[in-house]
Amino acid sequence: MIDLNSITDEVVGEYDLKDDRANQLVHTLIRYLHGYAREVQLTHAEWRAALSFLTRASQSTNESRNEFSLISDVLGVSSLVDLMASAEGATPGSVLGPFHVHDSKEQANGFDLRGEQAGTPTLFRGRVMSASGQPLQALIDFWQNADNALYPQMDSTQDYHNLRCKLRTDADGTFAFRTVLPQPYGIPEDGPVGDLVRQAGRTCMRPAHFHTIVMADGHLPVTTEIFFDHDPYLETDAVFGVREKLITHVHTVTDSAQASAAGMPCPFSLVEFDFHLAPQAPATR
Ligand SMILES: [Fe+2]
């Protein structure tokens, strides 16, 4: 019969999912949940409060907003999974976030994403290489927010494709394109996640960043973010996405010859970053 000693094993025994990995995931989850309840001696009122938090999360979730993703982000689970998936020698991964789209237009290397819009004119350039430093011809999927700190999904005045593109590096792995500096922004704070973050005395702000997914044949793709060393939110990112290797310096270029060679106004900001991809593991038979 079920009692305090037997209940965890009894529950686990009721879930045979006919798949070893699924069983491992579900059985371990049950054991950790039960272990948590035992360790903190969970009360009825506290469990009801937890369920109420999740209910409010579902009520805050819609087509353009997923409060459960935010829970994962602010509890550091998204970043933990990113770090576990980061390959040795490769650029560390960081959060994908909710603003990636799959149908960005492919643009030529050197493209101008900036156009006439407001913001600090910025040249973003670098190389994509293997973990051992060999240049790779790669595809970079890029997106960022605008000078008003909004992504196109949050701002009907922006074109759907504003400040996002796919871009192929040259054979030597180099890439360059013109854009504006992104801005820090806050995660949505009008739902239960915002309440939790505020109660903890944390900020909902994220440091400014470029988003990239970098892909090359025979290599593991890297989904990551590039941050800037002047940013006031680097140490307190609401979603724990900052890694030391992802922080770059923004150079201010005041040399007009350099500006005109780069097709930039003078002065402009220069961000340089090299990506490293690890080889795909050979297929196992
Ligand atoms: Fe972002």
Side-chain angles (χ1 to χ4, degrees), residues 99 151 185 206 209 211 225:
F99 302 112
Y151 288 86
Y185 64 92
R206 298 213 60 209
H209 49 268
H211 285 279
E225 302 174 290

Side-chain angles (χ1 to χ4, degrees), residues 21-189:
R21 178 61 174 166
N23 275 334
Q24 182 187 18
L25 292 170
V26 172
H27 294 175
T28 308
L29 175 66
I30 293 168
R31 291 193 186 282
Y32 272 79
L33 278 174
H34 283 221
Y36 171 81
R38 289 176 199 276
E39 183 174 331
V40 302
Q41 288 294 295
L42 195 65
T43 66
H44 283 116
E46 289 160 348
W47 185 232
R48 279 197 301 274
L51 295 179
S52 163
F53 181 88
L54 294 175
T55 303
R56 289 175 55 219
S58 70
Q59 290 161 347
S60 299
T61 296
N62 54 43
E63 284 268 293
S64 57
R65 155 101 173 256
N66 189 328
E67 196 77 1
F68 293 96
S69 291
L70 278 182
I71 293 172
S72 166
D73 292 346
V74 301
L75 294 183
V77 181
S78 305
S79 277
L80 173 61
V81 175
D82 289 336
L83 288 167
M84 289 190 296
S86 295
E88 182 87 23
T91 300
S94 186
V95 292
L96 174 70
F99 302 112
H100 176 250
V101 299
H102 292 278
D103 56 350
S104 281
K105 292 179 184 167
E106 189 165 334
Q107 307 290 2
N109 203 355
F111 187 71
D112 182 8
L113 283 176
R114 181 173 75 92
E116 301 295 313
Q117 68 193 288
T120 305
T122 300
L123 180 67
F124 180 28
R125 74 182 180 197
R127 289 180 86 192
V128 180
M129 291 177 275
S130 68
S132 57
Q134 296 303 307
L136 295 175
Q137 191 149 35
L139 183 69
I140 299 174
D141 192 345
F142 173 87
W143 67 108
Q144 68 165 90
N145 66 1
D147 196 53
N148 63 2
L150 300 175
Y151 288 86
Q153 291 98 323
M154 311 157 84
D155 180 6
S156 60
T157 68
Q158 286 183 50
D159 182 85
Y160 174 79
H161 288 291
N162 192 36
L163 296 172
R164 57 172 55 134
C165 70
K166 291 191 179 90
L167 184 138
R168 236 167 258 284
T169 66
D170 288 344
D172 63 356
T174 57
F175 69 88
F177 57 94
R178 290 163 280 169
T179 183
V180 293
L181 276 185
Q183 296 297 325
Y185 64 92
I187 60 169
E189 52 183 305

Side-chain angles (χ1 to χ4, degrees), residues 186-199:
I187 60 169
E189 52 183 305
D190 57 345
V193 166
D195 293 344
L196 175 66
V197 169
R198 271 192 303 276
Q199 280 177 42

